[in-house]
């Protein structure tokens, strides 16, 4: 992946081309470095989140994909919008067949239940089992507490701006995945 910087940290393109006209103080270079630091921080946060999920899987004796699916099911319930198998399939990037096998494993392990809560009885809703929620809370409790403490250090208006920023990044990535990366990625350059 490129972050717009050469191997030596120098700008891969003229900063004025990437960020408008550079002033004498090097504002464009400072902005580019700041963007790089933010992107690195987001990447590191994502990697750490993935590591928490991997450790949750090991703690429960599950495959990491099963644990990631379980986390998605728990999170969706917490948000008041439980998942269907099709929506879970999208969230964990698995085919419907692979998701069905994964759900069978989670159900047999006693971690989830499938319910029919909709007026349309064909619609299946995924719920965590009563036994798994306390275990998940025990594992993720310290994580949740520390994250809440870290965010409490910032005023609400700053958190709101950050939420908007993350929303913009998410919609940008969603659009990229739906368009430029729909078939796996852009066309590679000719050799």
């Amino acid at each position: 992946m490129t972050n717009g910087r050469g191997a030596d940290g120098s700008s891969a393109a003229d900063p004025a081309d990437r960020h408008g006209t550079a002033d004498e103080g090097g504002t464009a270079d400072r902005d580019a470095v700041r963007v790089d630091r933010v992107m690195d921080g987001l990447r590191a946060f994502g990697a750490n989140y993935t590591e928490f999920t991997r450790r949750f899987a090991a703690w429960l004796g599950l495959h990491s994909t099963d644990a990631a699916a379980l986390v998605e099911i728990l999170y969706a319930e917490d948000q008041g919008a439980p998942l269907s198998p099709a929506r879970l399939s999208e969230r964990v990037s698995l085919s419907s067949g692979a998701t069905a096998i994964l759900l069978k494993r989670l159900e047999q392990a006693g971690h989830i239940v499938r319910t029919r809560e909709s007026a349309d009885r064909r619609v299946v809703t995924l719920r965590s089992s009563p036994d798994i929620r306390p275990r998940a809370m025990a594992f993720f409790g310290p994580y949740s507490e520390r994250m809440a403490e870290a965010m409490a250090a910032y005023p609400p208006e700053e958190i709101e701006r950050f939420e908007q920023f993350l929303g913009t990044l998410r919609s940008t990535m969603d659009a990229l995945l739906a368009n430029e990366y729909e078939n796996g990625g852009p066309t590679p350059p000719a050799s």
Side-chain angles (χ1 to χ4, degrees):
M1 288 186 290
T2 179
N3 61 2
R5 298 245 163 256
D8 64 354
S10 63
S11 177
D14 180 3
D17 292 341
R18 289 183 32 205
H19 300 282
T21 304
D23 64 8
E24 289 180 38
T27 302
D29 279 342
R30 284 194 301 275
D31 289 348
V33 168
R34 185 175 295 120
V35 167
D36 287 348
R37 284 195 315 254
V38 168
M39 293 303 291
D40 187 55
L42 290 168
R43 183 208 52 77
F45 181 86
N48 283 344
Y49 186 83
T50 299
E51 180 61 14
F52 272 100
T53 303
R54 188 196 66 74
R55 290 185 188 193
F56 181 57
W59 192 69
L60 289 175
L62 297 174
H63 185 276
S64 60
T65 305
D66 292 11
L70 183 55
V71 166
E72 290 292 336
I73 292 166
L74 288 160
Y75 180 75
E77 278 184 307
D78 289 347
Q79 299 303 304
L83 299 174
S84 66
R87 185 71 180 119
L88 176 66
S89 178
E90 293 170 9
R91 298 277 286 268
V92 294
S93 300
L94 290 176
S95 68
S96 59
T99 301
I101 293 167
L102 176 148
L103 290 173
K104 185 175 181 180
R105 284 193 307 265
L106 289 175
E107 200 168 34
Q108 287 175 339
H111 297 320
I112 66 156
V113 292
R114 299 180 217 211
T115 63
R116 297 190 187 276
E117 302 168 15
S118 172
D120 181 348
R121 303 302 290 164
R122 295 172 297 176
V123 176
V124 173
T125 301
L126 303 173
R127 296 277 183 185
S128 61
S129 71
D131 294 338
I132 197 62
R133 183 160 289 281
R135 294 173 73 190
M137 290 173 68
F139 184 87
F140 285 106
Y143 171 87
S144 296
E145 289 170 16
R146 291 281 182 84
M147 290 294 131
E149 287 171 12
M151 286 189 268
Y154 296 89
E157 56 275 0
E158 224 173 306
I159 295 293
E160 185 178 343
R161 280 196 76 201
F162 189 63
E163 185 180 11
Q164 291 169 351
F165 170 71
L166 289 176
T168 299
L169 290 182
R170 181 177 182 176
S171 61
T172 300
M173 290 179 75
D174 287 345
L176 280 165
L177 290 169
N179 298 305
E180 288 91 331
Y181 293 83
E182 182 180 23
N183 296 315
T187 305
S191 299

